Amino acid sequence: MHTSFEQQLSSKYGSLSAKLKEAADFIVANPVDAATRSLRTISKDAKLSPATFSRMSTALGYASYEDLREVLRAGIERRANSFSHRVETLQQRHQDGDHDFQTQHIIDCTANLQTLGDTLDQDMLNASVERLHNARRILVVGALGSTGVAEYLTYMASFIADNWSMASRMGASLASGLVGLSDADVLIIMTKPPFATKAINAAQEARKAGAFVIVVTDTHTCPALVHASAYFIVPTDSPHFFSSYASTLVLCEIMIGMLAARAGDPARARIADVESRNRRLGEVWGD
């Protein structure tokens, strides 16, 4: 699978000049126009010179702006050709006058999941799961709106391993969680606009310590990306006033599912032990 423009941009956005960031931001906001219209037209619309787009392309590792456009075209074609019948049905209902929030939100969340499937970097995902499998310790950081998802990720992981913990939980010191991190450890950061300061600082501190830093966000402008060893840009489009976390939850479930499959007999034995103790302690209803 070719690396998407968003993935390529995410890893290098922080190193771009202000003008090159403007050009990149314009393409992110207008991918179809950038893929189908001439450089002269795009430059005019963006109020930037054609040379700025060419320099931006080179800075991101493309041989030319045309190479960048080919990546955009391929991405649009993959998404267009793989939309499920369900999405088409929902969109048709919307076009027929069904404009209620419920329908539109479902349309957007379904499209987000489809986009996640189309753009997820399998090599990066496999590498991340490999590091999680071999890690001495995994620390999860999620603040503000990402707190609940970070809790859910840590909860799922607790069934198959005992080396996961959530940083700064219930008011605990973030610093105490970060102390002792090394290249044997993994830090998972979840943050979306408005970015939590402690998430960005945690990513920086962990990277300095040599830990493998996984960043989950929804935009290439996330400040934590400059510290990332691996990163996932998840789509969050929605008519809601709040970012949709549907695709983020699915990504978390994918990672834990892959980790559980990789863990083998020890994970199976641990889950059985957890379930047995749940029943013995009366934590679950019934037999």
Side-chain angles (χ1 to χ4, degrees), residues 120-136 138 153 160-161 163-164 186 188 212-214 229-232 250-264:
L120 191 58
D121 187 324
Q122 195 65 50
D123 290 338
M124 191 170 292
L125 178 61
N126 290 335
S128 297
V129 172
E130 178 73 12
R131 290 301 295 255
L132 291 170
H133 176 69
N134 293 315
R136 179 191 64 166
I138 297 104
L153 174 63
I160 60 174
N163 59 339
W164 286 65
V186 175
I188 301 176
F212 190 85
V213 178
I214 300 173
S229 309
Y231 55 89
F232 300 96
V250 169
L251 175 61
C252 289
E253 291 169 350
I254 289 171
M255 292 175 67
I256 295 299
M258 292 175 64
L259 187 60
R262 174 69 187 273

Side-chain angles (χ1 to χ4, degrees), residues 213-224:
V213 178
I214 300 173
V215 175
V216 180
T217 186
D218 62 349
T219 172
H220 62 281
T221 63
C222 175

Side-chain angles (χ1 to χ4, degrees), residues 21 23 40 42 59 64 77 84 105 112 146 160 168 191 212 259:
K21 284 181 178 178
R40 179 178 298 179
I42 293 299
S64 66
E77 184 177 351
S84 68
H105 189 57
N112 287 341
S146 297
I160 60 174
S168 197
T191 185
F212 190 85
L259 187 60

Side-chain angles (χ1 to χ4, degrees), residues 182-282:
S182 72
D183 58 3
D185 306 314
V186 175
L187 176 72
I188 301 176
I189 296 285
M190 293 186 181
T191 185
K192 300 176 184 180
F195 302 111
T197 301
K198 75 174 185 179
I200 311 305
N201 290 339
Q204 183 177 22
E205 288 295 314
R207 190 63 185 268
K208 284 181 181 178
F212 190 85
V213 178
I214 300 173
V215 175
V216 180
T217 186
D218 62 349
T219 172
H220 62 281
T221 63
C222 175
L225 287 170
V226 297
H227 310 299
S229 309
Y231 55 89
F232 300 96
I233 311 297
V234 295
T236 57
D237 292 341
S238 169
H240 207 291
F241 72 93
F242 209 75
S243 295
S244 170
Y245 275 79
S247 59
T248 308
L249 286 168
V250 169
L251 175 61
C252 289
E253 291 169 350
I254 289 171
M255 292 175 67
I256 295 299
M258 292 175 64
L259 187 60
R262 174 69 187 273
D265 291 341
R268 194 160 55 246
R270 179 178 170 83
I271 290 173
D273 193 13
V274 169
E275 291 176 331
S276 175
R277 289 171 188 257
N278 277 343
R279 290 190 294 272
R280 192 160 66 247
L281 295 171

